[in-house]
Amino acid sequence: MNYTLNQLQIFLKIVQTQSVTKASEELHLTQPAVSIQLRNFQDQFDIPLTEVIGRKIYITDFGREIAKAAEVIIQQVHAINYKTMAYKGQLTGRLKISVVSTGKYVMPYFLSQFMQQHPGIELEMDVTNKQKVIESLENNEVDFALVSILPKNLSIEKLDLLQNKLFLVGNPYQPVENKENVKDFFESLPLIFREKGSGTRQTMEKFINQNHISVLKKMELTSNEAVKQALLAGLGFSIMPLIGIRNELRNNELQIIPMKGLPIKTDWSLIWLKEKKHSPVSEAFLQFLQKQKESIAHETFSWYEKY
């Protein structure tokens, strides 16, 4: 047999995602490239690793055994890399962070300098909705999570990184009736929602419920980018985090609509389980943030302060 490390990694990702398409997305490869590597890997075995029924791929029992072995091999490769870097006196290991979808506009800036200082660290950052972020933290699958709403039923510690501001946003070319009463104003607007499980959705619904508003729900979309595109197209209005619409505001493609009770202010917080035993890497990252978070926030997000 002459399989490669790349083939092992690709096959393991296919097993984890149960999909060639999803595996290609997570590996940042084209779907044909992943399919070719899967076929080349399969050619080295007389027993099927997968089977396709309809358009869905299934992993055989033999395939799952091979995936377990592949995972062990990949872990050993990482261990060799870490030992090499450690021998050179460098901090090594993995840093795993789960980030709510809008947090992708925040977290990379608090990681950049740290990752540059420690090239021996491998970063795994999963960007998903709040519900899945909390699940990964609760299952101790990650070192940290970035959220804008703290989980209520989880014992955690936190480090606030940046204030989160949510405004009512719409297309500047859409007419907006000038109504003084917040309830009357919102009940006349077609509102666009994020999906259930989203922190932005939760914040928006809390505002609506507190003001006893009966809304005209226009649509529900599964990402901040999808909501933004719907707003740009003039399909409605939404309460959105300021952090994700900087360019659109600057280019006058979207507008903030002044409204009593807005903006809603929360914090972007890095959280971790209270009893978490930090690895040397996660402990170093935490110490870095405690020293540098204010300077990073000021240097990168100074534009934020005028809103």
Side-chain angles (χ1 to χ4, degrees):
M1 290 188 180
N2 193 30
Y3 46 78
T4 66
L5 178 62
N6 185 45
Q7 289 172 345
L8 291 175
Q9 291 171 325
I10 288 174
F11 179 65
L12 182 59
K13 185 59 68 174
I14 291 171
V15 173
Q16 291 170 343
T17 61
Q18 299 287 300
S19 166
V20 170
T21 301
K22 290 180 181 178
S24 64
E25 290 173 355
E26 293 192 17
L27 293 168
H28 305 291
L29 297 170
T30 65
Q31 187 170 333
V34 171
S35 296
I36 290 170
Q37 290 300 321
L38 174 60
R39 185 168 61 249
N40 291 342
F41 188 54
Q42 173 65 78
D43 287 345
Q44 300 181 69
F45 300 93
D46 296 329
I47 305 172
L49 299 169
T50 64
E51 57 181 345
V52 177
I53 301 175
R55 299 182 65 181
K56 184 172 176 59
I57 190 169
Y58 294 88
I59 314 301
T60 65
D61 290 341
F62 177 69
R64 293 190 181 281
E65 291 300 317
I66 296 300
K68 290 178 183 177
E71 187 171 16
V72 172
I73 293 170
I74 292 168
Q75 288 174 348
Q76 290 299 316
V77 170
H78 287 310
I80 292 171
N81 292 338
Y82 297 154
K83 288 176 181 178
T84 302
M85 301 298 285
Y87 193 77
K88 295 178 180 179
Q90 298 182 17
L91 185 63
T92 64
R94 286 189 185 182
L95 181 63
K96 296 183 179 181
I97 303 177
S98 189
V99 178
V100 294
S101 56
T102 311
K104 65 178 176 285
Y105 300 108
V106 177
M107 198 69 239
Y109 297 99
F110 288 92
L111 281 162
S112 178
Q113 186 179 342
F114 179 75
M115 296 300 295
Q116 290 173 15
Q117 290 175 357
H118 304 288
I121 293 175
E122 294 183 22
L123 173 66
E124 290 185 16
M125 189 171 80
D126 182 35
V127 180
T128 183
N129 69 24
K130 183 198 170 193
Q131 182 177 335
K132 293 181 180 178
V133 167
I134 298 305
E135 285 176 1
S136 64
L137 186 70
E138 188 173 14
N139 294 333
N140 200 29
E141 296 170 354
V142 295
D143 299 305
F144 301 104
L146 182 72
V147 296
S148 60
I149 300 175
L150 299 177
K152 293 181 179 179
N153 302 317
L154 204 57
S155 182
I156 60 164
E157 295 187 55
K158 71 183 181 80
L159 181 66
D160 295 335
L161 301 181
L162 185 72
Q163 189 176 70
N164 184 32
K165 303 176 185 178
L166 296 97
F167 292 86
L168 179 64
V169 181
N171 186 309
Y173 303 106
Q174 282 183 281
V176 180
E177 293 184 38
N178 188 12
K179 295 183 179 182
E180 293 184 4
N181 187 286
V182 173
K183 187 173 184 292
D184 292 340
F185 184 88
F186 269 91
E187 289 180 354
S188 67
L189 291 182
L191 286 182
I192 300 172
F193 284 71
R194 282 286 306 277
E195 80 284 3
K196 291 182 179 179
S198 158
T200 299
R201 166 75 171 259
Q202 186 177 339
T203 302
M204 186 171 172
E205 288 184 333
K206 182 178 180 181
F207 175 82
I208 289 169
N209 293 334
Q210 286 176 341
N211 288 277
H212 308 289
I213 299 169
S214 177
V215 301
L216 174 60
K217 185 177 177 181
K218 186 68 175 179
M219 64 180 67
E220 180 178 304
L221 298 172
T222 57
S223 73
N224 191 65
E225 288 300 316
V227 172
K228 188 172 15 179
Q229 291 303 316
L231 298 182
L232 290 169
L235 291 175
F237 300 81
S238 190
I239 294 177
M240 293 191 70
L242 175 64
I243 197 73
I245 56 173
R246 178 188 183 185
N247 291 335
E248 288 75 18
L249 292 174
R250 185 169 54 190
N251 297 332
N252 296 316
E253 296 172 320
L254 292 176
Q255 66 169 332
I256 290 175
I257 301 165
M259 178 61 51
K260 183 179 179 181
L262 296 175
I264 302 167
K265 296 180 180 180
T266 60
D267 288 301
W268 289 109
S269 300
L270 195 73
I271 63 174
W272 59 94
L273 294 175
K274 198 165 189 177
E275 303 300 324
K276 178 73 175 177
K277 294 181 179 179
H278 288 295
S279 68
V281 169
S282 60
E283 182 64 36
F285 182 55
L286 196 55
Q287 291 177 3
F288 167 81
L289 286 180
Q290 289 168 339
K291 294 178 181 177
Q292 301 295 333
K293 64 168 188 162
E294 291 183 6
S295 63
I296 294 171
H298 178 71
E299 292 170 8
T300 308
F301 301 99
S302 57
W303 65 272
Y304 207 70
E305 298 171 3
K306 71 177 182 179
Y307 291 95

